[in-house]
Amino acid sequence: MSRQDFDVHFHVHMISDSTGETLMEVMRASAAQFEQAHPIEHLFALVRSERQLERAMAHVEDYPGIVMFTMVNADLRRRLEDRCAERGIPAIAVLDPIQATLSSYLGAPMRGRAGAQRALDADYYRRIEAMNYSMAHDDGQGDDLPGADVILLGISRTSKTPTSIYLGHRGIRTANIPIVPGSPLPDILFELEEPLIVGLTASPERIIQIRRNRLINLKEGRDTGYVDEAAVREEVVYAKRLFARQGWPSIDVTRRSIEETAAKVINLLNEHRGEA
């Protein structure tokens, strides 16, 4: 019987001289491509001394698996690689191919500074400010819509909030406004030119499913127009017609992850800014 015939749980040791966030994201994105693979995660962050590396490697030897690492200190890196090679443990320097290609293309060496991507520079503060803006302008709150980079519109359960927060994390000031039957949208929305306004839609079936699950979580057993099929279809049609009438681009999120939706919004924003 091959490993493909059953679920596989395996240890992944992520060793980083920085926060380890990059390693975590790369590992999870890679493991997600293997449906039956279930990684058991071990993260060792801010490993910058021999003692810290020794502690991490002792754990690796107790729970053999795969080692993924980012390490700019040449001595520590060599110790890690030698130790793994001696014990037959696969070790992957996840950023090497990217950094080597960049170095070759730019004709410049790397700085070799641990955690360089986390430097407290202007970009870092821009992301923090964007996150604060997105949280303050969630679900129709806030009063600075002209200050947005992106404004998301959609009926209930079209992933407006998580998409806004994700975009905020990427440094994009994002507001989101719900489309509620019988409630007018802010007048200023129809006067704005600079922010990109994007409509989010989904199939009625998907929206009903999510809304029913929400009612269950809230222990709400009554049947309401919130999950009535005809009412939901009417909401979807109304929203789509609104987006078309105003010339606002729309995204169907039925089969999209938050990351995919955000990536589409970013592409639209780049096009919008190019046209502007």
Side-chain angles (χ1 to χ4, degrees):
M1 179 180 293
S2 69
R3 288 193 176 190
Q4 294 180 345
D5 295 326
F6 53 88
D7 287 350
V8 176
H9 290 77
F10 63 101
H11 295 281
V12 178
H13 304 273
M14 293 162 283
I15 304 176
S16 174
D17 51 16
S18 184
T19 63
E21 292 180 34
T22 300
L23 277 176
M24 187 74 73
E25 292 175 2
V26 171
M27 187 281 295
R28 289 178 175 174
S30 300
Q33 300 300 317
F34 300 89
E35 184 177 353
Q36 294 145 318
H38 305 286
I40 301 171
E41 302 172 1
H42 308 269
L43 176 63
F44 301 90
L46 302 175
V47 176
R48 298 177 180 177
S49 69
E50 292 184 16
R51 181 177 180 182
Q52 291 170 322
L53 179 61
E54 176 59 35
R55 186 181 302 117
M57 290 308 303
H59 190 82
V60 171
E61 291 170 3
D62 288 340
Y63 302 93
I66 295 175
V67 171
M68 301 175 68
F69 68 92
T70 54
M71 193 78 63
V72 298
N73 182 286
D75 290 336
L76 290 180
R77 174 177 174 138
R78 185 166 52 253
R79 287 176 180 272
L80 185 154
E81 291 176 326
D82 289 347
R83 189 83 165 263
C84 288
E86 290 170 1
R87 289 156 179 76
I89 297 172
I92 307 167
V94 298
L95 295 182
D96 273 16
I98 300 172
Q99 292 171 340
T101 300
L102 283 173
S103 179
S104 175
Y105 180 79
L106 298 172
M110 295 190 308
R111 288 186 293 177
R113 181 159 62 88
Q117 74 276 20
R118 302 293 173 188
L120 298 182
D121 54 14
D123 183 65
Y124 173 85
Y125 289 110
R126 178 177 62 83
R127 290 170 183 260
I128 295 299
E129 196 279 332
M131 276 289 294
N132 290 336
Y133 179 92
S134 298
M135 294 177 68
H137 290 78
D138 178 43
D139 201 33
Q141 301 180 80
D143 55 5
D144 181 25
L145 291 181
D149 296 313
V150 173
I151 299 174
L152 301 179
L153 300 178
I155 65 174
S156 173
R157 305 298 105 186
T158 49
S159 303
K160 297 184 299 299
T161 293
T163 304
S164 294
I165 299 303
Y166 185 92
L167 289 169
H169 183 68
R170 295 288 299 272
I172 298 171
R173 292 161 59 94
T174 308
N176 75 80
I177 301 174
I179 296 176
V180 181
S183 297
L185 292 169
D187 291 336
I188 192 175
L189 198 62
F190 302 96
E191 303 170 3
L192 295 173
E193 295 182 2
E194 186 60 30
L196 170 68
I197 300 176
V198 179
L200 302 183
T201 69
S203 70
E205 294 78 13
R206 178 58 174 163
I207 290 174
I208 291 171
Q209 178 187 26
I210 297 174
R211 288 183 178 183
R212 281 178 176 162
N213 289 339
R214 176 171 171 76
L215 291 178
I216 291 173
N217 291 335
L218 295 175
K219 294 181 172 54
E220 175 61 68
R222 295 177 299 170
D223 287 332
T224 67
Y226 189 62
V227 292
D228 178 77
E229 183 175 350
V232 172
R233 288 187 181 278
E234 186 174 333
E235 286 184 62
V236 172
V237 170
Y238 173 79
K240 287 183 176 180
R241 287 177 177 171
L242 171 66
F243 303 149
R245 186 168 63 249
Q246 297 297 325
W248 295 330
S250 63
I251 302 173
D252 189 329
V253 303
T254 303
R255 299 183 182 278
R256 291 179 186 264
S257 66
I258 300 303
E259 294 83 358
E260 290 170 332
T261 300
K264 178 64 175 176
V265 171
I266 292 172
N267 287 339
L268 290 171
L269 179 60
N270 291 334
E271 293 175 8
H272 176 73
R273 285 173 170 170
E275 293 173 357

